[in-house]
Amino acid sequence: MSKQVLTDCRLFAVAADLSGHSNKIELAAGHEVKETTNYRSQGWKEVIGGLGSAEISGQGQWEAGDPSKVDNASWTQLGGVGPWTVCPGDSTVGALAYLTNALRADYKLLDAVGEVAPWSGTAKSSWPLVRGQIGHPPGTARTASGAGTALQLGAVPAGARLYAALHVLSAAGTTPSLTVSVESDDAAGMASPTSRLTFAAATAAGGQILRTDGTAITDTYYRATWTVSGTGPSFLFALSLGIR
């Protein structure tokens, strides 16, 4: 990705796509600095990294009235922990994405008379911040079972984990059900895939985030698969995944 002017960032907060309600999105990550200076430090401070943390902050135009609007989503999420995904550009398959499990820490709304009603808020990480890719785009409705495009994320070293964040943005139909999994293989053709993560069946809008147990994975390609059932089911969902 080359240098760019920010015109189309994407922000997925649990079950809500806040992109169209946002005009500023910021992502920050870092570690506490712990001093270890001693008498053999040659007159210089010595430091080591402490606990890590990340924060997602956003602001934009306030709207309310249904679960997809920023006010409804923010009140539902406030004080709760769930998956968040940020894309510096669009959210097409393979697009750069940052994902984490985060606490919706605060929410601020409204302003002076005559102003476009604003909102702002922050989410603070409860899991590590992961740099990855979009594995399923949010704008493609799924009405039947299928599989997505294979992404080359690389092998997972021992002690590292595969992370995946699922944002179910809408569900329609009679008794609709969506089960999403992440599979891996050693080639892009996915001839003999292995299931690595499976989310709980979703019957309504919502969010889930999963990670593997730290066991090494030698496969380097990953894809999303989904099983859809019900009468006239239709789901919109976004999936991000990465290794850390």
Side-chain angles (χ1 to χ4, degrees):
M1 180 180 289
S2 59
K3 296 176 183 177
Q4 66 181 84
V5 175
L6 295 175
T7 59
D8 195 20
C9 293
R10 302 303 300 267
L11 175 60
F12 302 98
V14 191
D17 179 356
L18 301 184
S19 312
H21 309 279
S22 305
N23 57 22
K24 185 176 182 180
I25 302 168
E26 293 183 326
L27 179 61
H31 285 265
E32 295 177 348
V33 177
K34 297 296 185 180
E35 187 173 341
T36 59
T37 308
N38 56 71
Y39 286 118
R40 302 298 296 169
S41 297
Q42 304 298 315
W44 289 83
K45 285 186 177 181
E46 292 186 23
V47 296
I48 59 174
L51 296 176
S53 64
E55 180 176 296
I56 300 167
S57 60
Q59 65 182 48
Q61 299 89 21
W62 179 89
E63 287 186 282
D66 67 63
S68 68
K69 303 297 186 183
V70 65
D71 189 67
N72 300 60
S74 297
W75 278 112
T76 300
Q77 298 164 5
L78 193 60
V81 176
W84 288 68
T85 298
V86 176
C87 299
D90 202 358
S91 51
T92 54
V93 172
L96 176 62
Y98 297 87
L99 57 139
T100 189
N101 198 27
L103 168 74
R104 183 59 180 263
D106 58 69
Y107 172 50
K108 182 179 179 181
L109 64 153
L110 305 184
D111 203 336
V113 63
E115 299 295 330
V116 175
W119 72 272
S120 63
T122 57
K124 298 182 182 293
S125 65
S126 205
W127 280 12
L129 181 67
V130 180
R131 186 179 188 272
Q133 298 180 36
I134 292 294
H136 187 276
T140 302
R142 299 300 181 183
T143 59
S145 302
T149 303
L151 303 174
Q152 189 173 21
L153 298 179
V156 180
R161 301 170 186 245
L162 171 68
Y163 291 77
L166 173 65
H167 307 274
V168 180
L169 305 173
S170 68
T174 302
T175 62
S177 179
L178 169 73
T179 301
V180 176
S181 297
V182 178
E183 296 179 339
S184 71
D185 203 339
D186 59 359
M190 306 293 289
S192 54
T194 300
S195 181
R196 299 298 180 180
L197 296 169
T198 299
F199 295 94
T203 58
Q208 302 177 53
I209 188 166
L210 296 175
R211 58 187 175 186
T212 55
D213 61 5
T215 302
I217 300 174
T218 58
D219 291 342
T220 56
Y221 288 88
Y222 303 83
R223 72 176 181 186
T225 65
W226 52 91
T227 302
V228 175
S229 63
T231 302
S234 181
F235 288 91
L236 288 173
F237 69 93
L239 178 76
S240 57
L241 59 160
I243 296 169
R244 176 157 186 166

